[in-house]
PDB file of all heavy atoms in Angstrom:
ATOM      1  N   ASN A 315      -5.550   3.310 -15.068  1.00 63.00           N
ATOM      2  CA  ASN A 315      -5.981   4.098 -16.215  1.00 63.00           C
ATOM      3  C   ASN A 315      -7.300   4.813 -15.971  1.00 63.00           C
ATOM      4  O   ASN A 315      -7.698   5.675 -16.736  1.00 63.00           O
ATOM      5  CB  ASN A 315      -6.086   3.199 -17.454  1.00 63.00           C
ATOM      6  CG  ASN A 315      -4.694   2.844 -17.944  1.00 63.00           C
ATOM      7  OD1 ASN A 315      -3.759   3.620 -17.757  1.00 63.00           O
ATOM      8  ND2 ASN A 315      -4.543   1.667 -18.530  1.00 63.00           N
ATOM      9  N   GLN A 316      -8.001   4.441 -14.908  1.00 61.00           N
ATOM     10  CA  GLN A 316      -9.297   5.066 -14.652  1.00 61.00           C
ATOM     11  C   GLN A 316      -9.225   6.201 -13.646  1.00 61.00           C
ATOM     12  O   GLN A 316     -10.231   6.755 -13.263  1.00 61.00           O
ATOM     13  CB  GLN A 316     -10.264   4.002 -14.126  1.00 61.00           C
ATOM     14  CG  GLN A 316     -10.538   2.909 -15.150  1.00 61.00           C
ATOM     15  CD  GLN A 316     -11.358   1.803 -14.545  1.00 61.00           C
ATOM     16  OE1 GLN A 316     -12.510   2.004 -14.208  1.00 61.00           O
ATOM     17  NE2 GLN A 316     -10.773   0.649 -14.389  1.00 61.00           N
ATOM     18  N   SER A 317      -8.045   6.529 -13.135  1.00 69.00           N
ATOM     19  CA  SER A 317      -7.980   7.584 -12.128  1.00 69.00           C
ATOM     20  C   SER A 317      -7.387   8.862 -12.712  1.00 69.00           C
ATOM     21  O   SER A 317      -6.688   8.828 -13.712  1.00 69.00           O
ATOM     22  CB  SER A 317      -7.146   7.122 -10.945  1.00 69.00           C
ATOM     23  OG  SER A 317      -5.817   7.025 -11.348  1.00 69.00           O
ATOM     24  N   GLU A 318      -7.677   9.984 -12.050  1.00 65.00           N
ATOM     25  CA  GLU A 318      -7.234  11.289 -12.538  1.00 65.00           C
ATOM     26  C   GLU A 318      -5.922  11.692 -11.878  1.00 65.00           C
ATOM     27  O   GLU A 318      -5.659  11.323 -10.738  1.00 65.00           O
ATOM     28  CB  GLU A 318      -8.302  12.336 -12.209  1.00 65.00           C
ATOM     29  CG  GLU A 318      -9.610  12.111 -12.921  1.00 65.00           C
ATOM     30  CD  GLU A 318      -9.508  12.332 -14.416  1.00 65.00           C
ATOM     31  OE1 GLU A 318      -8.761  13.237 -14.822  1.00 65.00           O
ATOM     32  OE2 GLU A 318     -10.158  11.598 -15.166  1.00 65.00           O
ATOM     33  N   PRO A 319      -5.091  12.457 -12.567  1.00 76.00           N
ATOM     34  CA  PRO A 319      -3.768  12.786 -12.020  1.00 76.00           C
ATOM     35  C   PRO A 319      -3.767  13.904 -10.976  1.00 76.00           C
ATOM     36  O   PRO A 319      -4.632  14.756 -10.955  1.00 76.00           O
ATOM     37  CB  PRO A 319      -2.989  13.225 -13.253  1.00 76.00           C
ATOM     38  CG  PRO A 319      -4.021  13.719 -14.201  1.00 76.00           C
ATOM     39  CD  PRO A 319      -5.283  12.966 -13.927  1.00 76.00           C
ATOM     40  N   ILE A 320      -2.732  13.862 -10.121  1.00 92.00           N
ATOM     41  CA  ILE A 320      -2.489  14.874  -9.089  1.00 92.00           C
ATOM     42  C   ILE A 320      -1.047  15.339  -9.280  1.00 92.00           C
ATOM     43  O   ILE A 320      -0.207  14.563  -9.732  1.00 92.00           O
ATOM     44  CB  ILE A 320      -2.642  14.235  -7.692  1.00 92.00           C
ATOM     45  CG1 ILE A 320      -4.047  13.678  -7.527  1.00 92.00           C
ATOM     46  CG2 ILE A 320      -2.324  15.213  -6.580  1.00 92.00           C
ATOM     47  CD1 ILE A 320      -4.146  12.684  -6.407  1.00 92.00           C
ATOM     48  N   ASP A 321      -0.725  16.584  -8.885  1.00 96.00           N
ATOM     49  CA  ASP A 321       0.649  17.077  -9.087  1.00 96.00           C
ATOM     50  C   ASP A 321       1.668  16.241  -8.316  1.00 96.00           C
ATOM     51  O   ASP A 321       2.713  15.890  -8.834  1.00 96.00           O
ATOM     52  CB  ASP A 321       0.755  18.537  -8.627  1.00 96.00           C
ATOM     53  CG  ASP A 321       0.026  19.472  -9.582  1.00 96.00           C
ATOM     54  OD1 ASP A 321      -0.398  19.000 -10.649  1.00 96.00           O
ATOM     55  OD2 ASP A 321      -0.122  20.653  -9.242  1.00 96.00           O
ATOM     56  N   ALA A 322       1.389  15.965  -7.039  1.00 97.00           N
ATOM     57  CA  ALA A 322       2.335  15.169  -6.240  1.00 97.00           C
ATOM     58  C   ALA A 322       1.580  14.373  -5.189  1.00 97.00           C
ATOM     59  O   ALA A 322       0.579  14.843  -4.637  1.00 97.00           O
ATOM     60  CB  ALA A 322       3.354  16.078  -5.561  1.00 97.00           C
ATOM     61  N   ILE A 323       2.073  13.168  -4.930  1.00 98.00           N
ATOM     62  CA  ILE A 323       1.499  12.321  -3.877  1.00 98.00           C
ATOM     63  C   ILE A 323       2.597  12.045  -2.859  1.00 98.00           C
ATOM     64  O   ILE A 323       3.725  11.698  -3.231  1.00 98.00           O
ATOM     65  CB  ILE A 323       0.983  10.982  -4.457  1.00 98.00           C
ATOM     66  CG1 ILE A 323      -0.177  11.229  -5.427  1.00 98.00           C
ATOM     67  CG2 ILE A 323       0.555  10.032  -3.336  1.00 98.00           C
ATOM     68  CD1 ILE A 323      -0.632   9.974  -6.174  1.00 98.00           C
ATOM     69  N   VAL A 324       2.274  12.207  -1.585  1.00 98.00           N
ATOM     70  CA  VAL A 324       3.206  11.863  -0.509  1.00 98.00           C
ATOM     71  C   VAL A 324       2.582  10.706   0.261  1.00 98.00           C
ATOM     72  O   VAL A 324       1.426  10.799   0.694  1.00 98.00           O
ATOM     73  CB  VAL A 324       3.448  13.069   0.432  1.00 98.00           C
ATOM     74  CG1 VAL A 324       4.348  12.664   1.595  1.00 98.00           C
ATOM     75  CG2 VAL A 324       4.056  14.245  -0.327  1.00 98.00           C
ATOM     76  N   ILE A 325       3.345   9.628   0.435  1.00 98.00           N
ATOM     77  CA  ILE A 325       2.824   8.460   1.166  1.00 98.00           C
ATOM     78  C   ILE A 325       3.396   8.493   2.578  1.00 98.00           C
ATOM     79  O   ILE A 325       4.584   8.272   2.784  1.00 98.00           O
ATOM     80  CB  ILE A 325       3.227   7.146   0.461  1.00 98.00           C
ATOM     81  CG1 ILE A 325       2.726   7.139  -0.983  1.00 98.00           C
ATOM     82  CG2 ILE A 325       2.686   5.943   1.234  1.00 98.00           C
ATOM     83  CD1 ILE A 325       3.291   5.994  -1.824  1.00 98.00           C
ATOM     84  N   GLY A 326       2.557   8.813   3.562  1.00 98.00           N
ATOM     85  CA  GLY A 326       3.000   8.885   4.957  1.00 98.00           C
ATOM     86  C   GLY A 326       3.186  10.322   5.405  1.00 98.00           C
ATOM     87  O   GLY A 326       3.593  11.189   4.620  1.00 98.00           O
ATOM     88  N   SER A 327       2.869  10.589   6.681  1.00 98.00           N
ATOM     89  CA  SER A 327       2.910  11.977   7.173  1.00 98.00           C
ATOM     90  C   SER A 327       3.781  12.124   8.416  1.00 98.00           C
ATOM     91  O   SER A 327       3.483  12.914   9.302  1.00 98.00           O
ATOM     92  CB  SER A 327       1.487  12.460   7.467  1.00 98.00           C
ATOM     93  OG  SER A 327       0.916  11.671   8.498  1.00 98.00           O
ATOM     94  N   GLY A 328       4.869  11.322   8.496  1.00 98.00           N
ATOM     95  CA  GLY A 328       5.838  11.497   9.583  1.00 98.00           C
ATOM     96  C   GLY A 328       6.836  12.587   9.212  1.00 98.00           C
ATOM     97  O   GLY A 328       6.513  13.516   8.459  1.00 98.00           O
ATOM     98  N   PHE A 329       8.065  12.458   9.705  1.00 98.00           N
ATOM     99  CA  PHE A 329       9.039  13.546   9.526  1.00 98.00           C
ATOM    100  C   PHE A 329       9.335  13.811   8.051  1.00 98.00           C
ATOM    101  O   PHE A 329       9.269  14.952   7.589  1.00 98.00           O
ATOM    102  CB  PHE A 329      10.314  13.248  10.329  1.00 98.00           C
ATOM    103  CG  PHE A 329      10.090  13.496  11.786  1.00 98.00           C
ATOM    104  CD1 PHE A 329       9.621  12.484  12.621  1.00 98.00           C
ATOM    105  CD2 PHE A 329      10.270  14.755  12.319  1.00 98.00           C
ATOM    106  CE1 PHE A 329       9.362  12.722  13.961  1.00 98.00           C
ATOM    107  CE2 PHE A 329      10.017  15.010  13.660  1.00 98.00           C
ATOM    108  CZ  PHE A 329       9.562  13.987  14.479  1.00 98.00           C
TER     109      PHE A 329
END
Side-chain angles (χ1 to χ4, degrees):
N315 287 331
Q316 296 173 67
S317 69
E318 295 292 324
I320 300 162
D321 289 351
I323 296 173
V324 176
I325 303 170
S327 63
F329 284 89

